[in-house]
Amino acid sequence: MIEDLVAANRILAQEGVLDGWGHVSVRHDRDPARFLLSRSLAPELVSAEDILEFDLDNNPVDVPERDLYTERFIHGEIYKARPDVMAICHSHAPPVIPFGVIDIPLRPLYHRAAFIALGVPIFEIRDAAGMTDMLIRDPALGRALAQSIADKPAVLMRGHGATIVAHSIPRLVGRSIFLALNAKLQAQAMIMTQGGPIKYLDPEEARLIEAREGYGLGRAWKAWKKRALETR
Amino acid sequence: MIEDLVAANRILAQEGVLDGWGHVSVRHDRDPARFLLSRSLAPELVSAEDILEFDLDNNPVDVPERDLYTERFIHGEIYKARPDVMAICHSHAPPVIPFGVIDIPLRPLYHRAAFIALGVPIFEIRDAAGMTDMLIRDPALGRALAQSIADKPAVLMRGHGATIVAHSIPRLVGRSIFLALNAKLQAQAMIMTQGGPIKYLDPEEARLIEAREGYGLGRAWKAWKKRALETR
Amino acid sequence: MIEDLVAANRILAQEGVLDGWGHVSVRHDRDPARFLLSRSLAPELVSAEDILEFDLDNNPVDVPERDLYTERFIHGEIYKARPDVMAICHSHAPPVIPFGVIDIPLRPLYHRAAFIALGVPIFEIRDAAGMTDMLIRDPALGRALAQSIADKPAVLMRGHGATIVAHSIPRLVGRSIFLALNAKLQAQAMIMTQGGPIKYLDPEEARLIEAREGYGLGRAWKAWKKRALETR
Amino acid sequence: MIEDLVAANRILAQEGVLDGWGHVSVRHDRDPARFLLSRSLAPELVSAEDILEFDLDNNPVDVPERDLYTERFIHGEIYKARPDVMAICHSHAPPVIPFGVIDIPLRPLYHRAAFIALGVPIFEIRDAAGMTDMLIRDPALGRALAQSIADKPAVLMRGHGATIVAHSIPRLVGRSIFLALNAKLQAQAMIMTQGGPIKYLDPEEARLIEAREGYGLGRAWKAWKKRALETR
């Protein structure tokens, strides 16, 4: 599980989804009240020895105090609110940022991004806390973000980025990559048609795709992982 | 032939045409009722030992059961319907996806994409099978796709990707790359002119270009292959 | 300090912010009337032995005459006018150039580019010197640029590029990268909405972000530096 | 001279200006009636031993027949018509192609592309030869292209690419790179303003920039060359 978490960090950095400040966590497989997350480190530099165990109140367990991600509250609060969620990614992928600051919703037009049909709300931090420095830097903001994502697979964060959740690490990596790719493709289609009609996935198509848990993700996962770990 | 098929997989992965789920096949050079296709593997990882032989009913020949591409039906059904086709590529190249979901047709404006003048239909899977998970996962869907491509060099698949065919592997690789490049250039010209006039290739220009089978593809093929196989 | 200056040159070249003609300087940490800048060399090639010491009149100190950057006047004149500035970058980052030639101002929509809220004027060299070859090739033009940037964090230079200042090298590198990224994201949002409404950062949000000097830049700085120095 | 010609091939391939079919030549420094050009090879693969000598009628001199570029006529015919031209590049750089098929002219908005102010005509091969396969495959087409470029620094070729000329190899490489970059920036500015006003370089600014032969190209040339030759 730690190996996959390290791989997820490296893959998403290599794919341009995570910059130096993104992070990825996974719920502990033997204790649902714990999750694993790196100490404060750029994802491309994360190794097994950097992974720490946290309780759902976002406190590191059994380790002397080390440098922690400011926004670790994203993780604990969503794991608390969403027993179905096994892995979480907080990203600043450039293609999704514009969709957080305009009034045109992100919609799925590409089959690997069918999960978008389940809904991708926008988190407006002003509604939760007024004027802030935009970061999820305490449990209350983490809870507000968890409320915003509700039962959805992802939430855009206005002027900031996105948080994506999934039932497994490979699924999370796929969703994080295809959220950004769908954003790019939808923006392109919107611009090409000057706001004209676009054939999005039908909700039933999206449901049928989502029902096939994993979409054969193993095939790409193997290639992503090899590439990410080799170019260490 | 196997070496060229492996090279095609690697080249198209490296050029950004194939993601972890695309695939490339070639018709057997001594038995037109057989084709070669990798076992289920991301194109960038395909090696000679992964190549399997299939009959035109998409069943692997003479090998114990292994993990196969879900969408292998694309290949057999097109080889059955199109005796002229020697190689097939199924891609999810990002620049072509938007053209599958809007009402503006892809048209050739760049000489290396002249084959687009022969016609690039859009396959609407809903017309063939109603609500699906978008994948060509059985012979009937493969036949529907083969009917849609008819005698054309490529077909866009709405919300999914494209399938490209050709008389040889290098030609297939060229078409797959230049379908995506033309899509990018046409989108750019459309946006720059806000939908104003664009000088596409004249049908006769396209015919003259296509008549020169291969367009000197050997020159680029050599460079693509060297780059793709060296960075293994 | 020299190591960080070399790293800044390499990082900004690797991130696509600096081409072969950009440059980065730092004010001397023990003598505010001196600054360090490479001899005339593409940023990606700069090493410790290339760093020269200059006085604020842009003359190299204690070294035999060597080949110098034509536009070194940018640095001395801004250090003279702005005692708060510790590091300066002159870039031709492609995404910012269009904002220098159109009438739509750059505005912050991404939290890491909050400093844009402090104001990013456009330097029109014609106002300062009429018809020129666009370069800041003498002290008078350097002073005109320093007047234009005034107390702001950056200035766009029409038809040319940008100059960015900061209180430290890591902050300068962050600002230089995020000026370009915000330009890309704002352009994208503008195009997607066809000029419709965009939710920029509130001035108070920007102030709160800026008040947290550094934004945890150390985390990305470590990754950027490792990548830039390893691929030497 | 051969070393610089090889470097130019490699640099322009690495910078994305030349695909597998572009080519670069230089006029012989001791015999203005000769030029040097690679045998038919993708630019990224060109080495010193591939360089052949040609007369201005595009025939290789003193070598047994080898595989030659189909479009070598571009070079001889321009060298004949333009005694001032010392180096020629034929490119298919993607950003310039759209400007060859629309009615909006390329104009200089970035100082390193000031040479565009001298004029960049569009070569319409239909005017010269009616319906063709778009290639400059004989002396007559070469002459037509030479007439179209006239005394200008570059010509766009509709549906095909561009040909760029200069007084030296480094200058040619700079012009080839910045023609594409200016195309990208102008397209971006046009789209951002929805066709609104853009501040192009003043003709006098362009003249002053051009008057400084070389723009300090040596600085970037050194970095480009190192990168291109190291990653052989």
Side-chain angles (χ1 to χ4, degrees):
Chain A
M1 195 169 60
I2 286 180
E3 185 192 310
D4 276 2
L5 181 58
V6 169
N9 274 277
R10 304 285 184 108
I11 290 167
L12 291 172
Q14 195 166 61
E15 296 287 317
V17 170
L18 293 185
D19 60 9
W21 295 273
H23 21 90
V24 189
S25 71
V26 63
R27 196 191 285 270
H28 200 293
D29 54 355
R30 282 175 317 240
D31 182 352
R34 299 277 166 90
F35 67 93
L36 304 179
L37 178 69
S38 171
R39 66 187 178 94
S40 178
L41 205 62
E44 68 187 271
L45 300 181
V46 167
S47 292
E49 60 270 24
D50 302 308
I51 304 299
L52 307 179
E53 195 173 324
F54 290 82
D55 63 29
L56 298 192
D57 291 325
N58 305 292
N59 300 310
V61 178
D62 285 338
V63 290
E65 192 170 327
R66 295 171 78 178
D67 195 22
L68 304 177
Y69 289 133
T70 306
E71 297 190 295
R72 62 192 178 279
F73 306 98
I74 291 173
H75 301 268
E77 300 307 323
I78 292 179
Y79 285 124
K80 250 189 244 169
R82 288 279 301 271
D84 62 309
V85 166
M86 293 298 140
I88 300 175
C89 170
H90 172 53
S91 109
H92 311 100
V96 308
I97 312 264
F99 279 99
V101 300
I102 66 174
D103 287 329
I104 302 167
L106 195 58
R107 293 184 58 190
L109 61 69
Y110 179 51
H111 76 309
R112 294 212 170 267
F115 67 93
I116 294 173
L118 302 174
V120 177
I122 296 178
F123 177 64
E124 174 48 88
I125 195 169
R126 282 180 211 162
D127 295 343
M131 291 297 140
T132 65
D133 70 355
M134 308 291 288
L135 299 187
I136 307 298
R137 44 170 79 252
D138 61 42
L141 283 165
R143 279 191 297 272
L145 183 70
Q147 275 182 331
S148 174
I149 195 170
D151 61 342
K152 308 303 185 201
V155 62
L156 304 187
M157 300 156 84
R158 193 263 311 158
H160 179 172
T163 295
I164 302 105
V165 303
H167 304 314
S168 71
I169 290 179
R171 191 69 175 269
L172 179 76
V173 167
R175 284 183 171 180
S176 301
I177 290 172
F178 292 112
L179 185 73
L181 182 56
N182 193 91
K184 223 184 278 186
L185 299 175
Q186 181 181 344
Q188 187 70 2
M190 283 164 49
I191 297 168
M192 285 161 69
T193 59
Q194 302 187 274
I198 295 172
K199 287 170 200 120
Y200 293 101
L201 293 181
D202 186 275
E204 178 61 7
E205 286 171 338
R207 197 192 61 75
L208 287 166
I209 296 168
E210 272 296 296
R212 298 205 175 254
E213 264 294 325
Y215 306 56
L217 264 170
R219 200 190 314 163
W221 174 256
K222 194 174 159 181
W224 286 332
K225 196 167 165 178
K226 183 165 179 288
R227 223 189 302 146
L229 298 183
E230 268 176 6
T231 57
R232 219 174 251 239
Chain B
M1 195 168 61
I2 286 179
E3 185 193 309
D4 276 2
L5 182 58
V6 170
N9 274 277
R10 305 286 183 107
I11 290 167
L12 291 172
Q14 195 166 60
E15 296 288 316
V17 170
L18 293 184
D19 61 9
W21 294 274
H23 22 90
V24 189
S25 71
V26 63
R27 195 191 286 269
H28 200 293
D29 53 356
R30 282 176 316 240
D31 182 352
R34 298 277 166 90
F35 68 92
L36 304 179
L37 178 69
S38 171
R39 66 185 179 94
S40 179
L41 205 62
E44 69 187 89
L45 300 181
V46 168
S47 292
E49 60 270 25
D50 303 308
I51 304 299
L52 306 179
E53 194 173 324
F54 290 82
D55 62 28
L56 298 193
D57 290 326
N58 305 291
N59 300 310
V61 178
D62 285 337
V63 291
E65 191 170 327
R66 295 170 79 179
D67 195 22
L68 304 176
Y69 289 132
T70 306
E71 297 189 296
R72 61 190 178 281
F73 306 99
I74 292 172
H75 302 267
E77 301 306 324
I78 293 179
Y79 285 123
K80 252 189 243 168
R82 288 279 300 271
D84 62 309
V85 165
M86 293 298 140
I88 300 175
C89 169
H90 171 53
S91 108
H92 311 99
V96 307
I97 312 264
F99 279 98
V101 299
I102 66 174
D103 288 328
I104 303 167
L106 196 58
R107 293 183 59 190
L109 61 69
Y110 178 52
H111 76 309
R112 293 211 171 267
F115 67 93
I116 294 173
L118 302 174
V120 177
I122 296 179
F123 176 64
E124 174 48 89
I125 196 169
R126 281 180 212 161
D127 295 342
M131 290 297 141
T132 65
D133 71 353
M134 309 291 287
L135 298 187
I136 306 297
R137 44 170 79 252
D138 61 42
L141 283 165
R143 279 192 296 272
L145 184 70
Q147 276 182 331
S148 174
I149 194 170
D151 61 343
K152 308 303 186 201
V155 62
L156 305 187
M157 300 156 83
R158 192 263 309 159
H160 179 174
T163 295
I164 302 106
V165 304
H167 304 314
S168 73
I169 291 179
R171 191 69 175 270
L172 180 76
V173 167
R175 283 184 171 178
S176 301
I177 290 173
F178 293 111
L179 185 73
L181 182 56
N182 194 91
K184 223 183 277 186
L185 298 176
Q186 182 180 345
Q188 187 68 5
M190 283 164 49
I191 297 168
M192 284 161 71
T193 58
Q194 301 186 275
I198 295 172
K199 286 169 201 121
Y200 294 102
L201 292 181
D202 187 275
E204 178 62 7
E205 285 171 338
R207 197 192 61 75
L208 287 165
I209 296 168
E210 272 296 295
R212 298 206 174 254
E213 263 295 325
Y215 306 56
L217 264 171
R219 200 190 315 165
W221 174 256
K222 194 174 159 182
W224 286 332
K225 197 167 164 179
K226 182 165 180 286
R227 222 189 302 145
L229 298 183
E230 268 177 4
T231 58
R232 222 174 249 239
Chain C
M1 196 169 59
I2 286 180
E3 185 193 309
D4 276 2
L5 181 58
V6 169
N9 273 277
R10 305 285 183 108
I11 291 166
L12 291 172
Q14 194 166 62
E15 295 287 318
V17 170
L18 292 185
D19 60 10
W21 295 274
H23 22 91
V24 189
S25 71
V26 63
R27 195 191 286 270
H28 200 295
D29 54 355
R30 283 176 315 239
D31 182 353
R34 297 277 166 91
F35 67 92
L36 304 179
L37 178 69
S38 171
R39 66 186 178 95
S40 179
L41 206 62
E44 68 187 272
L45 301 181
V46 168
S47 291
E49 60 270 24
D50 302 308
I51 304 299
L52 306 180
E53 195 173 324
F54 290 81
D55 62 29
L56 297 193
D57 291 325
N58 305 291
N59 300 310
V61 178
D62 285 337
V63 291
E65 192 170 327
R66 295 171 79 178
D67 196 22
L68 304 177
Y69 288 132
T70 305
E71 297 190 294
R72 61 191 179 279
F73 306 97
I74 292 173
H75 301 268
E77 300 306 324
I78 293 179
Y79 285 124
K80 252 189 243 169
R82 288 280 299 271
D84 62 309
V85 165
M86 293 298 140
I88 300 175
C89 170
H90 172 53
S91 109
H92 311 101
V96 307
I97 311 264
F99 279 99
V101 299
I102 66 174
D103 288 328
I104 303 167
L106 195 59
R107 293 182 59 190
L109 62 67
Y110 179 51
H111 76 309
R112 292 211 172 268
F115 66 93
I116 294 173
L118 301 174
V120 177
I122 297 179
F123 176 65
E124 174 49 87
I125 195 169
R126 282 180 213 161
D127 295 342
M131 290 298 140
T132 65
D133 70 354
M134 308 291 287
L135 299 187
I136 306 298
R137 44 170 80 251
D138 60 42
L141 282 165
R143 280 191 296 272
L145 184 70
Q147 275 182 330
S148 175
I149 195 170
D151 61 342
K152 308 303 185 201
V155 62
L156 305 187
M157 299 156 84
R158 192 264 310 158
H160 179 172
T163 294
I164 302 106
V165 303
H167 305 314
S168 71
I169 291 180
R171 190 69 174 271
L172 179 76
V173 167
R175 284 183 170 179
S176 301
I177 290 172
F178 293 111
L179 185 73
L181 182 56
N182 194 91
K184 223 185 277 186
L185 298 175
Q186 181 180 346
Q188 187 69 4
M190 282 165 49
I191 297 169
M192 286 161 69
T193 58
Q194 302 185 273
I198 296 172
K199 287 170 200 119
Y200 294 102
L201 293 181
D202 187 274
E204 177 61 7
E205 286 172 338
R207 198 191 60 75
L208 287 165
I209 296 168
E210 272 296 296
R212 298 206 175 255
E213 264 294 325
Y215 305 56
L217 264 171
R219 201 190 313 163
W221 174 255
K222 194 175 159 180
W224 286 332
K225 197 167 163 178
K226 183 165 178 287
R227 222 189 301 144
L229 299 183
E230 269 176 4
T231 58
R232 220 173 251 238
Chain D
M1 195 169 61
I2 287 180
E3 185 193 310
D4 277 1
L5 182 58
V6 169
N9 274 278
R10 305 284 183 107
I11 290 167
L12 291 172
Q14 195 166 61
E15 295 288 317
V17 170
L18 292 185
D19 61 9
W21 295 274
H23 22 91
V24 189
S25 71
V26 64
R27 195 191 287 268
H28 200 294
D29 54 356
R30 282 175 315 238
D31 182 352
R34 298 276 166 89
F35 68 92
L36 304 179
L37 178 69
S38 172
R39 67 187 178 94
S40 179
L41 205 62
E44 68 188 272
L45 301 181
V46 168
S47 291
E49 59 270 24
D50 302 308
I51 304 299
L52 306 179
E53 195 174 324
F54 290 81
D55 62 29
L56 297 193
D57 290 325
N58 305 292
N59 300 311
V61 178
D62 285 338
V63 291
E65 192 170 326
R66 295 170 78 178
D67 196 22
L68 304 177
Y69 289 132
T70 305
E71 297 190 295
R72 61 191 178 280
F73 306 98
I74 292 173
H75 301 269
E77 301 307 323
I78 293 178
Y79 286 123
K80 250 188 244 169
R82 288 279 300 269
D84 63 308
V85 165
M86 294 297 141
I88 300 175
C89 170
H90 172 53
S91 109
H92 311 100
V96 307
I97 312 264
F99 279 98
V101 299
I102 66 174
D103 288 328
I104 303 167
L106 195 58
R107 292 182 59 190
L109 62 68
Y110 179 50
H111 76 309
R112 293 211 171 268
F115 67 94
I116 294 173
L118 301 175
V120 178
I122 297 179
F123 176 64
E124 173 47 89
I125 195 169
R126 283 180 211 160
D127 296 342
M131 291 297 142
T132 64
D133 71 353
M134 308 292 287
L135 299 187
I136 305 298
R137 44 170 81 252
D138 60 42
L141 283 165
R143 279 189 297 271
L145 184 71
Q147 276 182 330
S148 174
I149 195 170
D151 61 343
K152 308 302 185 202
V155 61
L156 304 188
M157 299 156 83
R158 192 263 310 158
H160 179 173
T163 294
I164 302 106
V165 304
H167 305 314
S168 72
I169 291 180
R171 190 71 175 269
L172 180 76
V173 167
R175 283 184 171 179
S176 301
I177 290 172
F178 293 111
L179 185 73
L181 181 56
N182 194 90
K184 223 185 277 185
L185 298 176
Q186 181 180 345
Q188 187 69 5
M190 282 165 49
I191 298 169
M192 286 161 70
T193 59
Q194 302 186 274
I198 296 172
K199 287 171 201 120
Y200 294 102
L201 293 181
D202 187 275
E204 177 61 8
E205 285 171 338
R207 197 191 62 75
L208 287 166
I209 296 168
E210 272 296 296
R212 296 205 176 256
E213 262 296 325
Y215 304 58
L217 263 170
R219 201 189 313 163
W221 174 256
K222 193 174 161 182
W224 286 332
K225 196 166 164 179
K226 182 163 180 287
R227 223 189 300 145
L229 298 183
E230 269 176 3
T231 59
R232 224 172 248 240

